[in-house]
């Protein structure tokens, strides 16, 4: 099992690969996210699964809200930079969630009361945050 110092040393010893694969993930994830939003706008159907939105919002918000851990306890260049990359995403995701949950209701469950639909999504979001 890796300790935190060992994991940080591994990152430092493989900086090129870590940056390469991190860039692939960030660029690919950004393209995927905004392409889903573009397709939602164009086709008027949900272009990103709501479960995906629940999980990425919970992950990104958790990562950013624990910036004290990353900056003061871990204090490593990779996690400091990554924390700043995560800063804008929870805000972008909240905007997307508000829009896509509304579009999804029209598509998936128009028979449900509005409050019931938002309540169901809220339970899913709270579950993702708890996990």
């Amino acid at each position: 099992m890796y300790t935190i110092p060992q994991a940080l040393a591994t990152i430092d010893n493989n900086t090129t690969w870590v940056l390469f694969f991190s860039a692939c993930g960030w660029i690919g994830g950004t393209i995927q996210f905004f392409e889903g939003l573009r397709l939602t706008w164009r086709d008027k159907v949900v272009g990103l699964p709501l479960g995906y939105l629940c999980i990425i919002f919970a992950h990104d918000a958790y990562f950013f809200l624990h910036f004290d851990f990353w900056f003061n306890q871990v204090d490593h260049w990779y996690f400091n930079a990554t924390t700043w990359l995560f800063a804008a995403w929870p805000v972008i995701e909240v905007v997307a969630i508000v829009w896509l949950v509304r579009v999804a209701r029209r598509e998936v469950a128009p028979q449900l009361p509005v409050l019931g639909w938002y309540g169901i999504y809220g339970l899913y979001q709270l579950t993702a945050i708890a996990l």
Side-chain angles (χ1 to χ4, degrees), residues 83-99:
T83 300
W84 287 117
L85 289 171
F86 274 112
W89 279 103
V91 175
I92 295 167
E93 291 156 2
V94 165
V95 171
I97 286 168
V98 169
W99 177 39

Side-chain angles (χ1 to χ4, degrees), residues 76-87:
H76 188 263
W77 66 268
Y78 179 79
F79 293 102
N80 293 346
T82 303
T83 300
W84 287 117
L85 289 171
F86 274 112

Side-chain angles (χ1 to χ4, degrees), residues 25-104:
W26 278 97
I27 292 167
T30 301
I31 290 170
Q32 173 191 7
F33 189 85
F34 285 106
E35 181 65 6
L37 295 181
R38 185 189 73 79
L39 292 173
T40 300
W41 182 265
R42 185 190 74 184
D43 299 336
K44 306 295 187 251
V45 296
V46 177
L48 293 168
L50 294 181
Y52 167 77
L53 286 173
C54 284
I55 292 168
I56 64 167
F57 173 72
H59 172 270
D60 295 354
Y62 180 87
F63 197 94
F64 183 70
L65 290 174
H66 288 85
F67 66 89
D68 183 62
F69 173 75
W70 300 113
F71 280 100
N72 296 320
Q73 292 182 33
V74 176
D75 193 28
H76 188 263
W77 66 268
Y78 179 79
F79 293 102
N80 293 346
T82 303
T83 300
W84 287 117
L85 289 171
F86 274 112
W89 279 103
V91 175
I92 295 167
E93 291 156 2
V94 165
V95 171
I97 286 168
V98 169
W99 177 39
L100 294 179
V101 168
R102 191 172 42 137
V103 172

Side-chain angles (χ1 to χ4, degrees), residues 51 53-59 122-131:
L53 286 173
C54 284
I55 292 168
I56 64 167
F57 173 72
H59 172 270
L123 287 173
Y124 277 110
Q125 188 63 68
L126 290 173
T127 301
I129 290 168
L131 293 175

